Amino acid sequence: MNKTEIGDSKHPLYRAFRELYSISFPIFEQRSEEQQETAFSCPEYHLTAYEESGVFTGFISYWEFEGYIYIEHFAINRELRGKGYGSRILHDFTASGTTKIVLLEIDPVTDKVSEARLRFYEKNGFFENPYPHTHPPYREGYGTHPLVVLTTQRRITEKEYGLFNKELTDIVMRHEKDIRF
């Protein structure tokens, strides 16, 4: 599988990313185009696209901090789901030479879909963390929403969770309160 870094909206794979992004996440979990450009300008932010045989397979957008890597968004082409691509991409990502914990958020388990999502991540080496967590809104008119924090290697400490929550608010979402869709 080929992976390519997308550094701005002019990249040839940006359109495929944006199309998958827009159908994979609810609007309140999506950056506007302007917010995406702002993220591209942050040195901690990265967007990696995956392709196989010329087919856009999926993407991971993430933030690399000193002690961990935060996967902000991860999606697989809908036509390829259930065929092992998600596991392959996550394994490639988490085994790519970093010793840092990889952290991401998922919806709380409330139905069979969210239950299957948790099982998928657990099968891929993630641990559920016990800290009550809400994600700030990306867009005006929406509130915070509860999510569950998952991490590789182990559960994180309360202090580590506090650092993540602070960096989420102060760095990842810092411009979101100023730039609204």
Side-chain angles (χ1 to χ4, degrees):
M1 191 171 324
N2 296 325
K3 61 182 179 179
T4 305
E5 295 300 314
I6 298 175
D8 59 43
S9 60
K10 292 171 180 49
H11 191 282
L13 291 175
Y14 183 78
R15 184 170 179 224
F17 151 72
R18 199 67 195 191
E19 287 173 7
L20 180 56
Y21 181 69
S22 69
I23 63 171
S24 298
F25 299 94
I27 192 74
F28 63 87
E29 290 182 10
Q30 294 179 35
R31 292 178 180 279
S32 68
E33 290 284 348
E34 189 175 40
Q35 291 167 334
Q36 185 63 51
E37 289 297 332
T38 300
F40 281 134
S41 72
C42 297
E44 299 90 355
Y45 180 79
H46 306 274
L47 174 57
T48 303
Y50 293 84
E51 292 179 289
E52 186 165 86
S53 301
V55 175
F56 187 79
T57 308
F59 70 86
I60 295 179
S61 65
Y62 65 98
W63 296 76
E64 186 160 3
F65 295 106
E66 186 174 328
Y68 65 95
I69 296 171
Y70 166 53
I71 295 178
E72 183 178 23
H73 293 99
F74 170 52
I76 300 298
N77 180 327
R78 286 188 172 187
E79 295 174 16
L80 301 175
R81 289 183 187 165
K83 297 181 179 176
Y85 286 98
S87 292
R88 284 176 54 198
I89 289 172
L90 269 181
H91 177 74
D92 174 73
F93 186 82
T94 59
S96 63
T98 185
T99 58
K100 294 179 181 180
I101 286 177
V102 176
L103 181 151
L104 56 79
E105 304 149 306
I106 62 169
D107 291 324
V109 174
T110 58
D111 57 19
K112 290 185 181 206
V113 172
S114 56
E115 185 178 314
R117 185 173 295 121
L118 175 60
R119 280 195 317 269
F120 166 79
Y121 284 111
E122 288 175 335
K123 179 183 90 175
N124 283 284
F126 284 81
F127 296 86
E128 185 174 351
N129 286 271
Y131 311 108
H133 177 68
T134 56
H135 194 285
Y138 284 93
R139 298 181 183 233
E140 193 171 339
Y142 293 96
T144 61
H145 55 282
L147 294 173
V148 176
V149 175
L150 304 179
T151 50
T152 58
Q153 301 180 26
R154 60 176 171 76
R155 289 187 173 112
I156 55 175
T157 66
E158 190 170 355
K159 182 177 179 181
E160 290 169 319
Y161 168 76
L163 176 62
F164 159 67
N165 200 40
K166 179 172 178 22
E167 290 177 332
L168 174 66
T169 302
D170 295 351
I171 298 172
V172 175
M173 303 299 291
R174 72 175 171 230
H175 300 289
E176 307 316 320
K177 61 184 165 263
D178 302 322
I179 303 170
R180 298 292 180 184
F181 178 72

